[in-house]
Amino acid sequence: MCRFAGLFTAFVILAGANLSTAAAEDKTITVFAAASMKNALDEVDAAYTAKTGIKFSVSYAASSVLARQIDQGAPADVFVSADTDWMDYATSKKAINEQTRVNLLGNSIVLIAPKDSRINDVTIANGFDLAKLAGDGRIATGDVKSVPVGKYAKAALEKLGAWQAAEAKFAMAESVRAALTLVARGEAALGIVYSTDAKVEPGVKIVGTFPADSHPAIIYPVAATTTAKPETNAYLAFLRSSVAKTILEKYGFKFLISPTT
């Protein structure tokens, strides 16, 4: 009888442990994040999964697309936008838990060319002739009407006096990564993307950097949605940690807050 009782107790303990493991494995956080976040956030999420067992389902796209999807009821727990405008939009639709919102990251925009291009060392300042620089080629960036990188690019070019002449040469892409791909494949002579995107694509090179004062500050806010799972708060805390900071800065992002331990 004692032996049977011991075996039964062991079975219960083992079953409980397995159930706990299964419960951890069943927990998945759904993240909607700006396309430019992919490489860096994938590594951050992998670190969090290794620590907690929680998995991720991540959708990367233009912030404009993601904000509209969240507004339409897409089941996201976290939204990471590449600008404050689209986070504001989602907030205005009562889809964001405002108390969890934080302006987490900064970035910069750069001019890129295919890695074998003859274009090098472009000085980007008032009066620079982007249209002439592109020649007969196209200039790729995100849609200037909605995609954050495109909006930043247009704002910079307008301030520098280069937009009007270059506008007709632009190939508007659905996201910054789509624009990056056009340049990497040689389908566009030049592109305007985030510096973080250029650093992870071996098919392009940075030929110039836009002055920070030529466009609105590039800010990536992050927040939980109003339908977020309870475990989302712990993940948001991890995004603010020194561990996440180290990973994100490795990819070229600027950490805009003081990290937690």
Side-chain angles (χ1 to χ4, degrees):
M1 178 66 74
C2 291
R3 181 182 179 188
F4 175 77
L7 289 172
F8 180 76
T9 300
F11 174 78
V12 170
I13 293 172
L14 181 60
N18 288 338
L19 286 172
S20 298
T21 302
E25 290 177 350
D26 286 344
K27 290 183 178 179
T28 300
I29 295 175
T30 301
V31 180
F32 278 24
S36 52
M37 289 294 301
K38 178 170 175 42
N39 299 72
L41 194 59
D42 279 352
E43 186 169 335
V44 170
D45 290 349
Y48 192 71
T49 297
K51 177 182 179 181
T52 65
I54 293 176
K55 298 180 181 179
F56 291 88
S57 173
V58 187
S59 292
Y60 293 106
S63 301
S64 52
V65 172
L66 298 172
R68 291 186 182 116
Q69 288 178 347
I70 291 171
D71 175 37
Q72 292 165 6
D77 297 306
V78 177
F79 180 34
V80 186
S81 176
D83 72 358
T84 56
D85 289 348
W86 285 110
M87 183 64 80
D88 289 344
Y89 170 86
T91 300
S92 72
K93 298 296 183 178
K94 309 299 182 184
I96 295 298
N97 182 344
E98 293 186 66
Q99 293 182 338
T100 66
R101 177 174 173 172
V102 62
N103 290 336
L104 185 67
L105 303 171
N107 211 334
S108 59
I109 53 173
V110 295
L111 186 66
I112 61 170
K115 63 179 180 180
D116 57 356
S117 172
R118 295 181 180 180
I119 299 174
N120 289 290
D121 301 324
V122 177
T123 299
I124 300 177
N126 284 323
F128 98 107
D129 196 339
L130 180 60
K132 181 178 179 181
L133 190 65
D136 295 330
R138 304 287 282 172
I139 307 165
T141 195
D143 189 332
V144 299
K145 294 180 181 179
S146 59
V147 179
V149 72
K151 292 162 63 181
Y152 292 128
K154 182 181 179 183
L157 294 173
E158 285 181 331
K159 185 167 185 179
L160 297 172
W163 172 252
Q164 189 171 358
E167 181 179 3
K169 294 181 181 291
F170 269 86
M172 305 296 182
E174 63 184 10
S175 72
V176 67
R177 287 298 173 95
L180 184 70
T181 298
L182 288 175
V183 180
R185 292 177 177 172
E187 296 173 24
L190 294 167
I192 301 175
V193 300
Y194 300 115
S195 60
T196 52
D197 292 295
K199 289 177 180 178
V200 298
E201 174 49 70
V204 307
K205 60 182 179 180
I206 296 174
V207 297
T209 300
F210 285 83
D213 62 0
S214 67
H215 54 78
I218 299 174
I219 295 173
Y220 287 65
V222 58
T225 66
T226 53
T227 58
K229 301 181 187 74
E231 53 266 28
T232 300
N233 286 335
Y235 171 63
L236 292 178
F238 183 73
L239 289 181
R240 300 190 294 269
S241 71
S242 56
V243 173
K245 178 179 184 288
T246 298
I247 295 171
L248 292 162
E249 288 184 340
K250 180 178 71 174
Y251 284 90
F253 287 97
K254 300 171 186 174
F255 217 68
L256 300 181
I257 63 171
S258 297
T260 57
T261 54

